[in-house]
Amino acid sequence: MTLREKMFWVFGGVIALLAIASVAGAILGKRARSDSGRATVDNLKARVNAWWVMIAVLAVTFALGETATLVVFAFVSFFALREFITLTPTRPGDYLPLLLAFFVILPVQYLLIGHDQYGTFAIFIPVYGFLLLPAVATFAGDTHEFLERSAKLQWATMITIYCISYAPALLLLNIPGYQGSNALLLLYLLLIVQLSDVLQYVFGKLFGKTKLAPLVSPSKTVEGLVGGGLTTTLIGGALYWITPFTWLQATAISFVIVVAGVLGGLTLSAMKRGLGAKDWGVMIEGHGGMLDRMDSVSFAAPMFFHIVRFFFT
């Protein structure tokens, strides 16, 4: 099949699942009797409605090409960084490094990806950004909790810009026999990460009894993790035909993506709980903020990128 045909089948399958979920939500809404039941159904409906919008945006982005994809992910990083900084206390001495992060480091990172500069974009933030941000902050002369403030901004930049940028960086990879199809690789990553989140939620609601990390993420259960994670891994293996992998390789790689996504979700949940917040933001109804949707991607994207680059390019 051609790239266009594969995209058609994958998006068609996702749209069919969303249509089923929308119908199921409407039926469950009519049958719900208790307040807790109605609240659960309303949350489900909000999540499904948000997914309709996100899938539409994703489809248009892929249709417009690589440049549009980079621009969209740059905005994703911008909003995620804004949410992180909004929840993280700052002082006037942080304003200059914040401007540097938002309006220099972020666009330069994505420009480097757009110009296929792997060697530079891979070290730009971990080396130059890491050193430059606290160095610039020293000129404000504010030493109050300087280490904590610098670490927060460095971590925010790494997670919301550097790690997330590895998702569109998949478009750079030169995979023999797969040229021109890298958009499918990005779609594969996003599908596995988000399917894992959805199926863990569903399995957790249906069978969940044992809390995975009650103080970090009260809604996550061991049953949800095992059921949703294994199901997603099998689906990832079944989707090998849109990747350059064999079905066995796709199964193994999707398992790595699932595990990385879970670790990312738990880590970012621990952070926002530590900051006294339930969600990073309210940008996406039913899902919280942009960073609530990208927390799993931030861990999974770099690992997926380097696995593919090391073994398949």
Side-chain angles (χ1 to χ4, degrees), residues 168-220:
L170 290 165
L171 301 175
L172 302 181
L173 295 176
N174 183 18
I175 304 170
Y178 199 70
Q179 288 85 353
S181 299
N182 287 33
L184 285 170
L185 211 55
L186 174 56
L187 179 59
Y188 182 79
L189 168 67
L190 297 177
L191 279 176
I192 298 304
V193 170
Q194 301 303 334
L195 268 177
S196 178
D197 286 348
V198 171
L199 291 176
Q200 285 180 53
Y201 175 82
V202 172
F203 274 85
K205 287 294 183 182
L206 293 175
F207 309 109
K209 294 180 180 179
T210 309
K211 298 293 184 182
L212 179 64
L215 297 180
V216 174
S217 185
S219 62
K220 288 188 180 296

Side-chain angles (χ1 to χ4, degrees), residues 218-241:
S219 62
K220 288 188 180 296
T221 65
V222 174
E223 294 80 6
L225 172 63
V226 174
L230 290 180
T231 303
T232 303
T233 298
L234 294 175
I235 293 173
L239 287 172
Y240 76 93
W241 52 276

Side-chain angles (χ1 to χ4, degrees), residues 58-187:
L58 198 60
V60 172
T61 300
F62 282 151
L64 292 176
E66 292 184 5
T67 301
T69 302
L70 281 172
V71 171
V72 168
F73 272 92
F75 276 106
V76 167
S77 285
F78 182 91
F79 289 121
L81 179 59
R82 187 185 68 171
E83 290 173 353
F84 196 111
I85 297 302
T86 299
L87 287 184
T88 306
T90 57
R91 292 169 60 85
D94 299 320
Y95 293 167
L96 186 56
L98 282 172
L99 287 173
L100 186 66
F102 276 101
F103 301 109
V104 178
I105 291 177
L106 191 156
V108 168
Q109 177 72 4
Y110 281 92
L111 283 172
L112 290 171
I113 295 173
H115 286 83
D116 200 4
Q117 298 296 314
Y118 167 76
T120 307
F121 101 77
I123 65 169
F124 174 60
I125 292 177
V127 176
Y128 301 105
F130 180 86
L131 298 174
L132 191 59
L133 288 173
V136 169
T138 61
F139 290 100
D142 185 357
T143 59
H144 179 72
E145 295 184 344
F146 184 84
L147 177 60
E148 291 83 352
R149 288 164 34 222
S150 296
K152 288 173 184 176
L153 184 53
Q154 288 169 326
W155 181 260
T157 306
M158 283 292 294
I159 288 294
T160 63
I161 303 176
Y162 183 71
C163 291
I164 290 177
S165 72
Y166 268 101
L170 290 165
L171 301 175
L172 302 181
L173 295 176
N174 183 18
I175 304 170
Y178 199 70
Q179 288 85 353
S181 299
N182 287 33
L184 285 170
L185 211 55
L186 174 56
L187 179 59

